[in-house]
Structure formats: C-alpha cells, structure tokens
mmCIF file of all heavy atoms in Angstrom:
data_model
loop_
_atom_site.group_PDB
_atom_site.id
_atom_site.type_symbol
_atom_site.label_atom_id
_atom_site.label_comp_id
_atom_site.label_asym_id
_atom_site.label_seq_id
_atom_site.Cartn_x
_atom_site.Cartn_y
_atom_site.Cartn_z
ATOM 1 N N ALA Z 222 35.293 -43.355 -34.577
ATOM 2 C CA ALA Z 222 34.173 -44.285 -34.789
ATOM 3 C C ALA Z 222 33.607 -44.137 -36.197
ATOM 4 O O ALA Z 222 33.399 -45.132 -36.911
ATOM 5 C CB ALA Z 222 33.093 -44.038 -33.739
ATOM 6 N N ILE Z 223 33.384 -42.898 -36.619
ATOM 7 C CA ILE Z 223 32.834 -42.651 -37.958
ATOM 8 C C ILE Z 223 33.825 -43.091 -39.032
ATOM 9 O O ILE Z 223 33.457 -43.727 -40.025
ATOM 10 C CB ILE Z 223 32.493 -41.160 -38.141
ATOM 11 C CG1 ILE Z 223 31.328 -40.773 -37.230
ATOM 12 C CG2 ILE Z 223 32.124 -40.860 -39.580
ATOM 13 C CD1 ILE Z 223 31.023 -39.298 -37.217
ATOM 14 N N ASN Z 224 35.084 -42.772 -38.822
ATOM 15 C CA ASN Z 224 36.136 -43.098 -39.784
ATOM 16 C C ASN Z 224 36.210 -44.606 -40.020
ATOM 17 O O ASN Z 224 36.239 -45.086 -41.163
ATOM 18 C CB ASN Z 224 37.473 -42.577 -39.246
ATOM 19 C CG ASN Z 224 38.562 -42.546 -40.288
ATOM 20 O OD1 ASN Z 224 38.314 -42.699 -41.479
ATOM 21 N ND2 ASN Z 224 39.783 -42.340 -39.855
ATOM 22 N N ILE Z 225 36.216 -45.369 -38.934
ATOM 23 C CA ILE Z 225 36.325 -46.829 -39.025
ATOM 24 C C ILE Z 225 35.063 -47.413 -39.664
ATOM 25 O O ILE Z 225 35.136 -48.259 -40.567
ATOM 26 C CB ILE Z 225 36.574 -47.439 -37.626
ATOM 27 C CG1 ILE Z 225 37.954 -47.013 -37.107
ATOM 28 C CG2 ILE Z 225 36.470 -48.965 -37.666
ATOM 29 C CD1 ILE Z 225 38.161 -47.205 -35.621
ATOM 30 N N GLU Z 226 33.899 -46.949 -39.205
ATOM 31 C CA GLU Z 226 32.635 -47.468 -39.737
ATOM 32 C C GLU Z 226 32.479 -47.146 -41.216
ATOM 33 O O GLU Z 226 32.046 -47.994 -42.009
ATOM 34 C CB GLU Z 226 31.466 -46.887 -38.931
ATOM 35 C CG GLU Z 226 31.375 -47.439 -37.524
ATOM 36 C CD GLU Z 226 30.376 -46.722 -36.641
ATOM 37 O OE1 GLU Z 226 29.620 -45.864 -37.157
ATOM 38 O OE2 GLU Z 226 30.336 -47.014 -35.434
ATOM 39 N N GLU Z 227 32.856 -45.927 -41.599
ATOM 40 C CA GLU Z 227 32.696 -45.524 -42.990
ATOM 41 C C GLU Z 227 33.607 -46.331 -43.911
ATOM 42 O O GLU Z 227 33.221 -46.706 -45.012
ATOM 43 C CB GLU Z 227 32.999 -44.031 -43.130
ATOM 44 C CG GLU Z 227 32.313 -43.387 -44.308
ATOM 45 C CD GLU Z 227 33.294 -42.757 -45.279
ATOM 46 O OE1 GLU Z 227 34.482 -42.680 -44.962
ATOM 47 O OE2 GLU Z 227 32.854 -42.355 -46.359
ATOM 48 N N ASN Z 228 34.826 -46.619 -43.452
ATOM 49 C CA ASN Z 228 35.737 -47.450 -44.247
ATOM 50 C C ASN Z 228 35.199 -48.865 -44.401
ATOM 51 O O ASN Z 228 35.270 -49.455 -45.483
ATOM 52 C CB ASN Z 228 37.127 -47.470 -43.604
ATOM 53 C CG ASN Z 228 37.998 -46.328 -44.076
ATOM 54 O OD1 ASN Z 228 38.615 -46.394 -45.127
ATOM 55 N ND2 ASN Z 228 38.021 -45.248 -43.316
ATOM 56 N N PHE Z 229 34.656 -49.413 -43.321
ATOM 57 C CA PHE Z 229 34.074 -50.762 -43.376
ATOM 58 C C PHE Z 229 32.945 -50.813 -44.406
ATOM 59 O O PHE Z 229 32.887 -51.717 -45.241
ATOM 60 C CB PHE Z 229 33.563 -51.157 -41.988
ATOM 61 C CG PHE Z 229 32.807 -52.461 -41.967
ATOM 62 C CD1 PHE Z 229 33.482 -53.674 -41.957
ATOM 63 C CD2 PHE Z 229 31.421 -52.484 -41.961
ATOM 64 C CE1 PHE Z 229 32.791 -54.891 -41.938
ATOM 65 C CE2 PHE Z 229 30.718 -53.681 -41.948
ATOM 66 C CZ PHE Z 229 31.403 -54.888 -41.935
ATOM 67 N N HIS Z 230 32.063 -49.813 -44.352
ATOM 68 C CA HIS Z 230 30.902 -49.824 -45.241
ATOM 69 C C HIS Z 230 31.256 -49.519 -46.689
ATOM 70 O O HIS Z 230 30.607 -50.013 -47.607
ATOM 71 C CB HIS Z 230 29.838 -48.855 -44.733
ATOM 72 C CG HIS Z 230 29.154 -49.363 -43.502
ATOM 73 N ND1 HIS Z 230 28.248 -50.388 -43.519
ATOM 74 C CD2 HIS Z 230 29.303 -49.023 -42.196
ATOM 75 C CE1 HIS Z 230 27.847 -50.642 -42.292
ATOM 76 N NE2 HIS Z 230 28.466 -49.835 -41.465
ATOM 77 N N SER Z 231 32.286 -48.718 -46.890
ATOM 78 C CA SER Z 231 32.689 -48.434 -48.274
ATOM 79 C C SER Z 231 33.332 -49.665 -48.916
ATOM 80 O O SER Z 231 33.341 -49.813 -50.126
ATOM 81 C CB SER Z 231 33.649 -47.251 -48.324
ATOM 82 O OG SER Z 231 34.859 -47.565 -47.695
ATOM 83 N N ILE Z 232 33.857 -50.563 -48.078
ATOM 84 C CA ILE Z 232 34.448 -51.811 -48.593
ATOM 85 C C ILE Z 232 33.363 -52.860 -48.834
ATOM 86 O O ILE Z 232 33.299 -53.478 -49.887
ATOM 87 C CB ILE Z 232 35.521 -52.364 -47.628
ATOM 88 C CG1 ILE Z 232 36.717 -51.403 -47.554
ATOM 89 C CG2 ILE Z 232 36.003 -53.751 -48.066
ATOM 90 C CD1 ILE Z 232 37.682 -51.683 -46.410
ATOM 91 N N LEU Z 233 32.479 -53.035 -47.841
ATOM 92 C CA LEU Z 233 31.485 -54.107 -47.919
ATOM 93 C C LEU Z 233 30.109 -53.638 -48.374
ATOM 94 O O LEU Z 233 29.333 -54.413 -48.912
ATOM 95 C CB LEU Z 233 31.337 -54.802 -46.566
ATOM 96 C CG LEU Z 233 32.423 -55.802 -46.156
ATOM 97 C CD1 LEU Z 233 31.936 -56.651 -45.006
ATOM 98 C CD2 LEU Z 233 32.843 -56.711 -47.299
ATOM 99 N N GLY Z 234 29.789 -52.353 -48.116
ATOM 100 C CA GLY Z 234 28.459 -51.867 -48.448
ATOM 101 C C GLY Z 234 27.419 -52.474 -47.518
ATOM 102 O O GLY Z 234 27.737 -52.943 -46.423
ATOM 103 N N GLY Z 235 26.181 -52.475 -47.942
ATOM 104 C CA GLY Z 235 25.126 -53.092 -47.145
ATOM 105 C C GLY Z 235 24.616 -52.198 -46.038
ATOM 106 O O GLY Z 235 24.875 -50.998 -46.003
ATOM 107 N N GLN Z 236 23.901 -52.805 -45.101
ATOM 108 C CA GLN Z 236 23.243 -52.068 -44.030
ATOM 109 C C GLN Z 236 24.272 -51.521 -43.030
ATOM 110 O O GLN Z 236 25.339 -52.093 -42.846
ATOM 111 C CB GLN Z 236 22.267 -53.005 -43.305
ATOM 112 C CG GLN Z 236 21.144 -52.279 -42.594
ATOM 113 C CD GLN Z 236 20.094 -53.270 -42.074
ATOM 114 O OE1 GLN Z 236 20.257 -54.471 -42.202
ATOM 115 N NE2 GLN Z 236 19.026 -52.745 -41.510
ATOM 116 N N TYR Z 237 23.904 -50.420 -42.364
ATOM 117 C CA TYR Z 237 24.784 -49.799 -41.364
ATOM 118 C C TYR Z 237 25.093 -50.776 -40.241
ATOM 119 O O TYR Z 237 24.206 -51.397 -39.670
ATOM 120 C CB TYR Z 237 24.107 -48.545 -40.797
ATOM 121 C CG TYR Z 237 24.854 -47.936 -39.631
ATOM 122 C CD1 TYR Z 237 26.006 -47.178 -39.831
ATOM 123 C CD2 TYR Z 237 24.413 -48.130 -38.328
ATOM 124 C CE1 TYR Z 237 26.685 -46.618 -38.762
ATOM 125 C CE2 TYR Z 237 25.088 -47.585 -37.252
ATOM 126 C CZ TYR Z 237 26.225 -46.825 -37.472
ATOM 127 O OH TYR Z 237 26.910 -46.277 -36.414
ATOM 128 N N LYS Z 238 26.378 -50.903 -39.930
ATOM 129 C CA LYS Z 238 26.807 -51.789 -38.845
ATOM 130 C C LYS Z 238 27.809 -51.021 -37.990
ATOM 131 O O LYS Z 238 28.910 -50.732 -38.431
ATOM 132 C CB LYS Z 238 27.457 -53.049 -39.429
ATOM 133 C CG LYS Z 238 27.790 -54.109 -38.382
ATOM 134 C CD LYS Z 238 28.448 -55.307 -39.054
ATOM 135 C CE LYS Z 238 28.961 -56.289 -38.023
ATOM 136 N NZ LYS Z 238 28.047 -57.388 -37.751
ATOM 137 N N PRO Z 239 27.429 -50.671 -36.753
ATOM 138 C CA PRO Z 239 28.347 -49.898 -35.909
ATOM 139 C C PRO Z 239 29.589 -50.697 -35.548
ATOM 140 O O PRO Z 239 29.558 -51.937 -35.544
ATOM 141 C CB PRO Z 239 27.514 -49.581 -34.671
ATOM 142 C CG PRO Z 239 26.444 -50.628 -34.641
ATOM 143 C CD PRO Z 239 26.166 -50.974 -36.080
ATOM 144 N N PHE Z 240 30.673 -49.985 -35.257
ATOM 145 C CA PHE Z 240 31.904 -50.644 -34.821
ATOM 146 C C PHE Z 240 31.854 -50.769 -33.301
ATOM 147 O O PHE Z 240 32.093 -49.818 -32.577
ATOM 148 C CB PHE Z 240 33.120 -49.828 -35.268
ATOM 149 C CG PHE Z 240 34.428 -50.387 -34.772
ATOM 150 C CD1 PHE Z 240 34.761 -51.718 -34.961
ATOM 151 C CD2 PHE Z 240 35.339 -49.573 -34.104
ATOM 152 C CE1 PHE Z 240 35.967 -52.233 -34.497
ATOM 153 C CE2 PHE Z 240 36.549 -50.070 -33.648
ATOM 154 C CZ PHE Z 240 36.856 -51.403 -33.848
ATOM 155 N N ASP Z 241 31.529 -51.971 -32.827
ATOM 156 C CA ASP Z 241 31.354 -52.204 -31.391
ATOM 157 C C ASP Z 241 32.670 -52.317 -30.645
ATOM 158 O O ASP Z 241 32.674 -52.411 -29.410
ATOM 159 C CB ASP Z 241 30.533 -53.486 -31.162
ATOM 160 C CG ASP Z 241 29.096 -53.338 -31.647
ATOM 161 O OD1 ASP Z 241 28.619 -52.190 -31.694
ATOM 162 O OD2 ASP Z 241 28.469 -54.360 -31.980
ATOM 163 N N GLY Z 242 33.777 -52.307 -31.374
ATOM 164 C CA GLY Z 242 35.078 -52.461 -30.717
ATOM 165 C C GLY Z 242 35.633 -51.166 -30.152
ATOM 166 O O GLY Z 242 36.644 -51.181 -29.445
ATOM 167 N N ILE Z 243 35.001 -50.021 -30.449
ATOM 168 C CA ILE Z 243 35.550 -48.746 -29.983
ATOM 169 C C ILE Z 243 34.889 -48.308 -28.673
ATOM 170 O O ILE Z 243 33.682 -48.453 -28.502
ATOM 171 C CB ILE Z 243 35.421 -47.637 -31.048
ATOM 172 C CG1 ILE Z 243 36.251 -46.412 -30.634
ATOM 173 C CG2 ILE Z 243 33.968 -47.264 -31.300
ATOM 174 C CD1 ILE Z 243 36.481 -45.426 -31.753
ATOM 175 N N THR Z 244 35.712 -47.821 -27.742
ATOM 176 C CA THR Z 244 35.186 -47.362 -26.457
ATOM 177 C C THR Z 244 35.756 -45.999 -26.109
ATOM 178 O O THR Z 244 36.892 -45.679 -26.447
ATOM 179 C CB THR Z 244 35.551 -48.337 -25.313
ATOM 180 O OG1 THR Z 244 36.970 -48.533 -25.300
ATOM 181 C CG2 THR Z 244 34.880 -49.671 -25.486
ATOM 182 N N LEU Z 245 34.927 -45.211 -25.426
ATOM 183 C CA LEU Z 245 35.393 -43.955 -24.841
ATOM 184 C C LEU Z 245 35.930 -44.311 -23.465
ATOM 185 O O LEU Z 245 35.160 -44.558 -22.531
ATOM 186 C CB LEU Z 245 34.246 -42.951 -24.738
ATOM 187 C CG LEU Z 245 34.615 -41.591 -24.142
ATOM 188 C CD1 LEU Z 245 35.511 -40.801 -25.095
ATOM 189 C CD2 LEU Z 245 33.359 -40.781 -23.826
ATOM 190 N N THR Z 246 37.235 -44.383 -23.345
ATOM 191 C CA THR Z 246 37.838 -44.801 -22.081
ATOM 192 C C THR Z 246 39.303 -44.403 -22.040
ATOM 193 O O THR Z 246 39.893 -44.051 -23.056
ATOM 194 C CB THR Z 246 37.689 -46.328 -21.866
ATOM 195 O OG1 THR Z 246 38.075 -46.669 -20.539
ATOM 196 C CG2 THR Z 246 38.566 -47.112 -22.846
ATOM 197 N N ASP Z 247 39.860 -44.477 -20.863
ATOM 198 C CA ASP Z 247 41.291 -44.275 -20.650
ATOM 199 C C ASP Z 247 41.922 -45.662 -20.561
ATOM 200 O O ASP Z 247 41.676 -46.397 -19.605
ATOM 201 C CB ASP Z 247 41.478 -43.485 -19.353
ATOM 202 C CG ASP Z 247 42.935 -43.224 -19.006
ATOM 203 O OD1 ASP Z 247 43.814 -43.861 -19.616
ATOM 204 O OD2 ASP Z 247 43.184 -42.390 -18.124
ATOM 205 N N THR Z 248 42.697 -46.047 -21.549
ATOM 206 C CA THR Z 248 43.265 -47.393 -21.605
ATOM 207 C C THR Z 248 44.055 -47.735 -20.340
ATOM 208 O O THR Z 248 43.944 -48.843 -19.818
ATOM 209 C CB THR Z 248 44.182 -47.536 -22.847
ATOM 210 O OG1 THR Z 248 43.397 -47.299 -24.017
ATOM 211 C CG2 THR Z 248 44.801 -48.917 -22.926
ATOM 212 N N PHE Z 249 44.837 -46.784 -19.827
ATOM 213 C CA PHE Z 249 45.624 -47.041 -18.615
ATOM 214 C C PHE Z 249 44.710 -47.245 -17.400
ATOM 215 O O PHE Z 249 45.005 -48.041 -16.508
ATOM 216 C CB PHE Z 249 46.572 -45.870 -18.335
ATOM 217 C CG PHE Z 249 47.682 -45.734 -19.349
ATOM 218 C CD1 PHE Z 249 48.099 -44.474 -19.758
ATOM 219 C CD2 PHE Z 249 48.325 -46.845 -19.864
ATOM 220 C CE1 PHE Z 249 49.124 -44.336 -20.673
ATOM 221 C CE2 PHE Z 249 49.350 -46.711 -20.780
ATOM 222 C CZ PHE Z 249 49.758 -45.445 -21.190
ATOM 223 N N GLN Z 250 43.587 -46.520 -17.374
ATOM 224 C CA GLN Z 250 42.699 -46.565 -16.207
ATOM 225 C C GLN Z 250 41.842 -47.824 -16.192
ATOM 226 O O GLN Z 250 41.357 -48.242 -15.136
ATOM 227 C CB GLN Z 250 41.794 -45.319 -16.222
ATOM 228 C CG GLN Z 250 40.852 -45.187 -15.027
ATOM 229 C CD GLN Z 250 41.579 -45.068 -13.708
ATOM 230 O OE1 GLN Z 250 42.658 -44.480 -13.647
ATOM 231 N NE2 GLN Z 250 41.015 -45.641 -12.659
ATOM 232 N N MET Z 251 41.659 -48.461 -17.340
ATOM 233 C CA MET Z 251 40.766 -49.620 -17.450
ATOM 234 C C MET Z 251 41.054 -50.692 -16.420
ATOM 235 O O MET Z 251 40.149 -51.353 -15.915
ATOM 236 C CB MET Z 251 40.881 -50.242 -18.854
ATOM 237 C CG MET Z 251 39.986 -49.622 -19.887
ATOM 238 S SD MET Z 251 40.276 -50.321 -21.531
ATOM 239 C CE MET Z 251 39.900 -52.049 -21.261
ATOM 240 N N TYR Z 252 42.338 -50.888 -16.101
ATOM 241 C CA TYR Z 252 42.723 -51.981 -15.202
ATOM 242 C C TYR Z 252 43.023 -51.491 -13.790
ATOM 243 O O TYR Z 252 43.454 -52.253 -12.944
ATOM 244 C CB TYR Z 252 43.943 -52.715 -15.781
ATOM 245 C CG TYR Z 252 43.631 -53.367 -17.102
ATOM 246 C CD1 TYR Z 252 43.839 -52.705 -18.306
ATOM 247 C CD2 TYR Z 252 43.080 -54.650 -17.158
ATOM 248 C CE1 TYR Z 252 43.525 -53.290 -19.526
ATOM 249 C CE2 TYR Z 252 42.769 -55.248 -18.366
ATOM 250 C CZ TYR Z 252 42.995 -54.574 -19.549
ATOM 251 O OH TYR Z 252 42.678 -55.156 -20.750
ATOM 252 N N GLU Z 253 42.785 -50.204 -13.549
ATOM 253 C CA GLU Z 253 43.026 -49.650 -12.217
ATOM 254 C C GLU Z 253 41.913 -50.032 -11.239
ATOM 255 O O GLU Z 253 42.143 -50.205 -10.060
ATOM 256 C CB GLU Z 253 43.141 -48.120 -12.291
ATOM 257 C CG GLU Z 253 44.407 -47.611 -12.967
ATOM 258 C CD GLU Z 253 45.647 -47.744 -12.079
ATOM 259 O OE1 GLU Z 253 45.557 -47.423 -10.887
ATOM 260 O OE2 GLU Z 253 46.691 -48.165 -12.592
ATOM 261 N N SER Z 254 40.679 -50.095 -11.740
ATOM 262 C CA SER Z 254 39.553 -50.401 -10.856
ATOM 263 C C SER Z 254 38.449 -51.087 -11.637
ATOM 264 O O SER Z 254 38.403 -51.029 -12.864
ATOM 265 C CB SER Z 254 39.023 -49.111 -10.219
ATOM 266 O OG SER Z 254 38.622 -48.207 -11.230
ATOM 267 N N GLU Z 255 37.549 -51.747 -10.914
ATOM 268 C CA GLU Z 255 36.415 -52.417 -11.545
ATOM 269 C C GLU Z 255 35.317 -51.403 -11.864
ATOM 270 O O GLU Z 255 35.121 -50.431 -11.139
ATOM 271 C CB GLU Z 255 35.855 -53.508 -10.614
ATOM 272 C CG GLU Z 255 36.805 -54.677 -10.404
ATOM 273 C CD GLU Z 255 37.119 -55.409 -11.693
ATOM 274 O OE1 GLU Z 255 36.176 -55.685 -12.469
ATOM 275 O OE2 GLU Z 255 38.304 -55.684 -11.942
ATOM 276 N N LEU Z 256 34.579 -51.651 -12.932
ATOM 277 C CA LEU Z 256 33.462 -50.771 -13.296
ATOM 278 C C LEU Z 256 32.266 -51.036 -12.397
ATOM 279 O O LEU Z 256 32.009 -52.167 -12.003
ATOM 280 C CB LEU Z 256 33.061 -51.009 -14.750
ATOM 281 C CG LEU Z 256 33.965 -50.434 -15.833
ATOM 282 C CD1 LEU Z 256 33.499 -50.923 -17.194
ATOM 283 C CD2 LEU Z 256 33.975 -48.924 -15.809
ATOM 284 N N ASP Z 257 31.547 -49.978 -12.086
ATOM 285 C CA ASP Z 257 30.307 -50.083 -11.325
ATOM 286 C C ASP Z 257 29.156 -50.247 -12.313
ATOM 287 O O ASP Z 257 28.779 -49.305 -13.000
ATOM 288 C CB ASP Z 257 30.121 -48.818 -10.479
ATOM 289 C CG ASP Z 257 28.813 -48.844 -9.706
ATOM 290 O OD1 ASP Z 257 28.130 -49.895 -9.747
ATOM 291 O OD2 ASP Z 257 28.486 -47.828 -9.077
ATOM 292 N N HIS Z 258 28.601 -51.442 -12.392
ATOM 293 C CA HIS Z 258 27.577 -51.709 -13.402
ATOM 294 C C HIS Z 258 26.198 -51.175 -13.014
ATOM 295 O O HIS Z 258 25.238 -51.353 -13.742
ATOM 296 C CB HIS Z 258 27.498 -53.207 -13.693
ATOM 297 C CG HIS Z 258 28.692 -53.706 -14.443
ATOM 298 N ND1 HIS Z 258 28.848 -53.517 -15.796
ATOM 299 C CD2 HIS Z 258 29.804 -54.342 -14.024
ATOM 300 C CE1 HIS Z 258 30.007 -54.039 -16.195
ATOM 301 N NE2 HIS Z 258 30.606 -54.534 -15.138
ATOM 302 N N THR Z 259 26.127 -50.486 -11.862
ATOM 303 C CA THR Z 259 24.845 -49.893 -11.484
ATOM 304 C C THR Z 259 24.602 -48.588 -12.234
ATOM 305 O O THR Z 259 23.479 -48.127 -12.330
ATOM 306 C CB THR Z 259 24.802 -49.597 -9.969
ATOM 307 O OG1 THR Z 259 25.871 -48.705 -9.643
ATOM 308 C CG2 THR Z 259 24.945 -50.890 -9.170
ATOM 309 N N GLU Z 260 25.694 -47.969 -12.777
ATOM 310 C CA GLU Z 260 25.489 -46.714 -13.518
ATOM 311 C C GLU Z 260 24.761 -47.020 -14.816
ATOM 312 O O GLU Z 260 24.891 -48.082 -15.379
ATOM 313 C CB GLU Z 260 26.827 -46.003 -13.747
ATOM 314 C CG GLU Z 260 27.776 -46.677 -14.716
ATOM 315 C CD GLU Z 260 27.542 -46.249 -16.145
ATOM 316 O OE1 GLU Z 260 26.948 -45.189 -16.364
ATOM 317 O OE2 GLU Z 260 27.941 -46.987 -17.048
ATOM 318 N N SER Z 261 23.964 -46.050 -15.275
ATOM 319 C CA SER Z 261 23.047 -46.371 -16.371
ATOM 320 C C SER Z 261 23.223 -45.526 -17.629
ATOM 321 O O SER Z 261 22.601 -45.803 -18.636
ATOM 322 C CB SER Z 261 21.604 -46.220 -15.881
ATOM 323 O OG SER Z 261 21.393 -44.896 -15.420
ATOM 324 N N LEU Z 262 24.063 -44.480 -17.580
ATOM 325 C CA LEU Z 262 24.111 -43.563 -18.720
ATOM 326 C C LEU Z 262 24.889 -44.142 -19.905
ATOM 327 O O LEU Z 262 24.514 -43.948 -21.054
ATOM 328 C CB LEU Z 262 24.721 -42.223 -18.294
ATOM 329 C CG LEU Z 262 24.421 -41.047 -19.217
ATOM 330 C CD1 LEU Z 262 22.920 -40.813 -19.332
ATOM 331 C CD2 LEU Z 262 25.109 -39.786 -18.737
ATOM 332 N N PHE Z 263 25.985 -44.862 -19.644
ATOM 333 C CA PHE Z 263 26.799 -45.449 -20.715
ATOM 334 C C PHE Z 263 26.860 -46.975 -20.602
ATOM 335 O O PHE Z 263 27.945 -47.558 -20.625
ATOM 336 C CB PHE Z 263 28.234 -44.916 -20.663
ATOM 337 C CG PHE Z 263 28.384 -43.435 -20.815
ATOM 338 C CD1 PHE Z 263 29.421 -42.759 -20.189
ATOM 339 C CD2 PHE Z 263 27.499 -42.700 -21.587
ATOM 340 C CE1 PHE Z 263 29.578 -41.390 -20.329
ATOM 341 C CE2 PHE Z 263 27.636 -41.327 -21.729
ATOM 342 C CZ PHE Z 263 28.676 -40.675 -21.100
ATOM 343 N N PRO Z 264 25.743 -47.665 -20.480
ATOM 344 C CA PRO Z 264 25.824 -49.124 -20.266
ATOM 345 C C PRO Z 264 26.519 -49.860 -21.400
ATOM 346 O O PRO Z 264 27.286 -50.804 -21.162
ATOM 347 C CB PRO Z 264 24.354 -49.553 -20.143
ATOM 348 C CG PRO Z 264 23.575 -48.461 -20.800
ATOM 349 C CD PRO Z 264 24.346 -47.200 -20.581
ATOM 350 N N GLU Z 265 26.268 -49.438 -22.640
ATOM 351 C CA GLU Z 265 26.870 -50.141 -23.780
ATOM 352 C C GLU Z 265 28.377 -49.927 -23.819
ATOM 353 O O GLU Z 265 29.139 -50.838 -24.151
ATOM 354 C CB GLU Z 265 26.228 -49.659 -25.086
ATOM 355 C CG GLU Z 265 26.539 -50.576 -26.258
ATOM 356 C CD GLU Z 265 25.787 -50.183 -27.518
ATOM 357 O OE1 GLU Z 265 24.670 -49.656 -27.423
ATOM 358 O OE2 GLU Z 265 26.341 -50.411 -28.603
ATOM 359 N N ASN Z 266 28.811 -48.719 -23.470
ATOM 360 C CA ASN Z 266 30.250 -48.451 -23.409
ATOM 361 C C ASN Z 266 30.906 -49.325 -22.340
ATOM 362 O O ASN Z 266 32.000 -49.854 -22.526
ATOM 363 C CB ASN Z 266 30.496 -46.968 -23.104
ATOM 364 C CG ASN Z 266 31.884 -46.504 -23.490
ATOM 365 O OD1 ASN Z 266 32.264 -46.512 -24.658
ATOM 366 N ND2 ASN Z 266 32.668 -46.113 -22.497
ATOM 367 N N ASN Z 267 30.208 -49.494 -21.202
ATOM 368 C CA ASN Z 267 30.675 -50.379 -20.130
ATOM 369 C C ASN Z 267 30.868 -51.808 -20.637
ATOM 370 O O ASN Z 267 31.884 -52.456 -20.364
ATOM 371 C CB ASN Z 267 29.644 -50.407 -18.993
ATOM 372 C CG ASN Z 267 29.990 -49.423 -17.887
ATOM 373 O OD1 ASN Z 267 30.921 -48.644 -18.027
ATOM 374 N ND2 ASN Z 267 29.238 -49.455 -16.811
#
C-alpha cells in the first residue's frame, strides 16, 4: 500500500490520496463465500 501510494504521489505530487484498490484478502477465498456486512471492524476493506 505504501509503495504504490508513494509512487503515485512522487509522480503527481499534491495532497495525500490513498490507494483504494488494495485489499487485505485471500484472492482465492473471495469467491468462496459472501461477506457478512454486519461485521464492523474492517468495513472499508469489505
């Protein structure tokens, strides 16, 4: 996340903009089951 964001900002500069495309997840597991949106600790990652 830091690596990608830092490269973006060193190219464009300006205000900090997080890379919203990165997720902490298991790519294979993503399609195994539906996410439970009632959980509250990682809502943005969801």
Side-chain angles (χ1 to χ4, degrees):
I223 293 173
N224 194 12
I225 293 163
E226 289 171 8
E227 205 239 351
N228 272 277
F229 173 80
H230 288 287
S231 66
I232 294 167
L233 283 195
Q236 204 171 3
Y237 172 77
K238 187 181 172 96
F240 176 52
D241 293 335
I243 191 165
T244 54
L245 180 69
T246 190
D247 179 346
T248 300
F249 292 142
Q250 183 62 34
M251 274 176 60
Y252 297 92
E253 290 285 316
S254 58
E255 293 298 315
L256 284 173
D257 178 6
H258 289 282
T259 59
E260 69 88 21
S261 58
L262 199 59
F263 300 149
E265 194 174 329
N266 200 63
N267 264 7

